Amino acid sequence: MCMKPGVKAFFDEETNTVTYVVADPSGNVCAVIDPVLDFDQASGRTSTDSADQVLNFIHGNGLELAWILETHAHADHLSAAAYLKSKSAGKTATGKLITGVQATFKEIFNLGDEFAPDGKQFDCLLEDGDRLELGAMEILVMHTPGHTPSCVTFVVGDAAFVGDTLFMPDYGTARADFPGGDAAVLYQSIQQIFALPAQTRIFLCHDYKAPGRDEYQWESTVEEQRASNIHIHDGISEQAFVEFRSQRDSQLGMPKLILPSVQVNIRAGEMPPPDDSGAVFLKIPVNVL
C-alpha cells in the first residue's frame, strides 16, 4: 500500500498561492513546498507573516525541516525559501533546468556579472527521477515542464505536488506563454501526471475559484482530473489542447508580481545584492515582456 504523508496547506489569498508542509507520518521530518514571502508592491516592503505561520506549525508539531522545495521560479509571488533556510537546517532545491530560466531572465533584467545563471543559489538541483529522503519516505522528482522549462512535480507516497501545471478540474491548466513555455510540452507533462495511480492526491499551487464556486480548493485526484479537467480531460488531443491553450494565453495579461518575483525567485528567495549605500533595488524593465 502506498504510504500517505501528512499534508498541511497554507493558503495566501493575496497571491492565491498554496504552500504545503509535507511530513513523514512515522517520524518528525518534513518538507515545505512553494513558500510565500509577503510583498506589498505599492511600498516595496516585505514581511514574513505567511512564512512564520509555516514555521510555527513546524515547531508546534515537533517537526524538523529537511527540504525547502520550489516547483519552479514563480511569477506570481516572491519565495520565502531563503528566509526558511535562515531559520532551519532545511536545504533549498528545485529542478536542474532552472539554469535556463536564470539565463533568460538575467538577459531580460540585465543583471550583469553579479548574477551567475548556474543554479548555485540553490543547495540542490534536481533531475527527473531523483529521490530525496524524507524520514522513512521518499520524494520522487518528476520533470514536468511546459508552464516553464524547469517545472517539477514532487511525488510523496500517494500525494503529488504539481505546482502550476494543473488547477482544479473546473479551472483547467497553467498558461504556457512565459519565456521558455510550450503548450505541447505542457500537454505531455500532464500525461505523465495522469499516468500516476488514479487515487493519487493532486495538490495544486494556486486556486482562483472557478465561476460558480464560492470556496477555494486545492486538492483533487488523478481520477478527477482525467475525468473532468475542463482543458485536458481524457479524450483531448495534443493538437486540440495546444490550439486552445495558445488562443487563451494570447488574451491573458502578465501576473501583477512577475517583475519583482522572478528576480527574487531565480535567486532561491534571496534579494539582489545591495548597492554601495546598502539599499536593495528590484528592476522594472520597460516594454520588454
Side-chain angles (χ1 to χ4, degrees), residues 31 67 69 130-132 134 137-141 154-156:
W67 295 103
L69 305 175
D130 280 352
R131 294 177 182 270
L132 306 177
L134 188 71
M137 303 188 72
E138 287 186 324
I139 302 170
L140 171 64
V141 179
F154 298 108
V155 181
V156 190

Side-chain angles (χ1 to χ4, degrees), residues 79 82-83 85 121 263-265 267-272:
S79 171
Y83 176 71
K85 180 179 177 179
Q121 299 81 2
Q263 293 176 75
V264 172
N265 297 344
R267 292 180 166 91
E270 294 283 2
M271 290 290 168

Side-chain angles (χ1 to χ4, degrees), residues 140-163:
L140 171 64
V141 179
M142 292 175 56
H143 183 214
T144 50
H147 174 58
T148 79
S150 67
C151 288
V152 291
T153 290
F154 298 108
V155 181
V156 190
D158 76 333
F161 301 86
V162 300

Side-chain angles (χ1 to χ4, degrees), residues 24 32 50 56 84 91 93 99 101 104 109 126 135 149 155 163 165 167 191 198 217 227 288:
D24 168 20
V32 171
S50 295
N56 290 340
L84 293 182
K91 294 182 178 180
T99 54
V101 176
T104 296
F109 290 109
L126 307 171
V155 181
T165 303
F167 298 125
Q191 300 313 308
Q217 297 177 4
V288 173

Side-chain angles (χ1 to χ4, degrees), residues 6-287:
V7 180
K8 173 66 175 178
F10 296 83
F11 184 69
D12 175 48
E13 191 166 356
E14 184 66 27
T15 62
N16 296 91
T17 302
V18 193
T19 296
Y20 296 100
V21 177
V22 188
D24 168 20
S26 66
N28 65 342
V29 180
C30 73
V32 171
I33 300 175
D34 294 333
V36 172
L37 181 70
D38 303 306
F39 179 70
D40 180 69
Q41 189 173 24
S43 66
R45 289 193 172 275
T46 63
S47 68
T48 60
D49 292 347
S50 295
D52 287 333
Q53 290 180 35
V54 173
L55 286 174
N56 290 340
F57 175 83
I58 291 171
H59 297 153
N61 286 273
L63 299 174
E64 176 186 345
L65 180 54
W67 295 103
I68 305 160
L69 305 175
E70 299 283 7
T71 55
H72 63 294
H74 304 270
D76 37 36
H77 69 271
L78 280 66
S79 171
Y83 176 71
L84 293 182
K85 180 179 177 179
S86 73
K87 298 292 183 180
S88 71
K91 294 182 178 180
T92 57
T94 195
K96 182 179 181 179
L97 295 185
I98 189 67
T99 54
V101 176
Q102 290 176 324
T104 296
F105 283 100
K106 175 174 181 172
E107 181 176 351
I108 288 174
F109 290 109
N110 191 25
L111 297 182
D113 294 339
E114 61 86 6
F115 180 77
D118 56 10
K120 291 182 180 179
Q121 299 81 2
F122 296 84
D123 294 314
C124 298
L125 295 183
L126 307 171
E127 299 191 51
D128 185 56
D130 280 352
R131 294 177 182 270
L132 306 177
E133 187 176 301
L134 188 71
M137 303 188 72
E138 287 186 324
I139 302 170
L140 171 64
V141 179
M142 292 175 56
H143 183 214
T144 50
H147 174 58
T148 79
S150 67
C151 288
V152 291
T153 290
F154 298 108
V155 181
V156 190
D158 76 333
F161 301 86
V162 300
D164 290 12
T165 303
L166 288 165
F167 298 125
M168 290 299 292
D170 60 0
Y171 203 87
T173 60
R175 65 195 297 166
D177 62 330
F178 292 155
D182 188 306
V185 173
L186 177 62
Y187 180 93
Q188 295 157 16
S189 292
I190 292 173
Q191 300 313 308
Q192 291 185 64
I193 296 170
F194 282 1
L196 294 169
Q199 294 309 308
T200 301
R201 294 180 289 164
I202 301 291
F203 290 96
L204 316 171
C205 190
H206 299 287
D207 188 57
Y208 303 94
K209 291 196 291 192
R213 173 158 54 84
D214 295 329
E215 296 181 352
Y216 291 110
Q217 297 177 4
W218 46 76
E219 180 181 347
S220 63
T221 66
V222 167
E223 183 176 43
E224 291 167 352
Q225 293 279 357
R226 293 186 62 168
S228 59
N229 187 289
I230 61 172
H231 296 168
I232 199 169
H233 55 266
D234 285 352
I236 298 294
S237 70
E238 180 177 322
Q239 179 179 349
F241 176 77
V242 170
E243 290 175 356
F244 164 80
R245 191 69 263 172
S246 299
Q247 191 275 336
R248 182 177 176 85
D249 289 349
S250 69
Q251 301 175 0
L252 298 177
M254 287 289 104
K256 66 179 182 180
L257 291 181
I258 185 172
L259 295 176
S261 65
V262 170
Q263 293 176 75
V264 172
N265 297 344
I266 59 174
R267 292 180 166 91
E270 294 283 2
M271 290 290 168
D275 68 4
D276 293 342
S277 72
V280 172
F281 293 90
L282 295 169
K283 293 185 176 182
I284 303 297
V286 177
N287 297 328

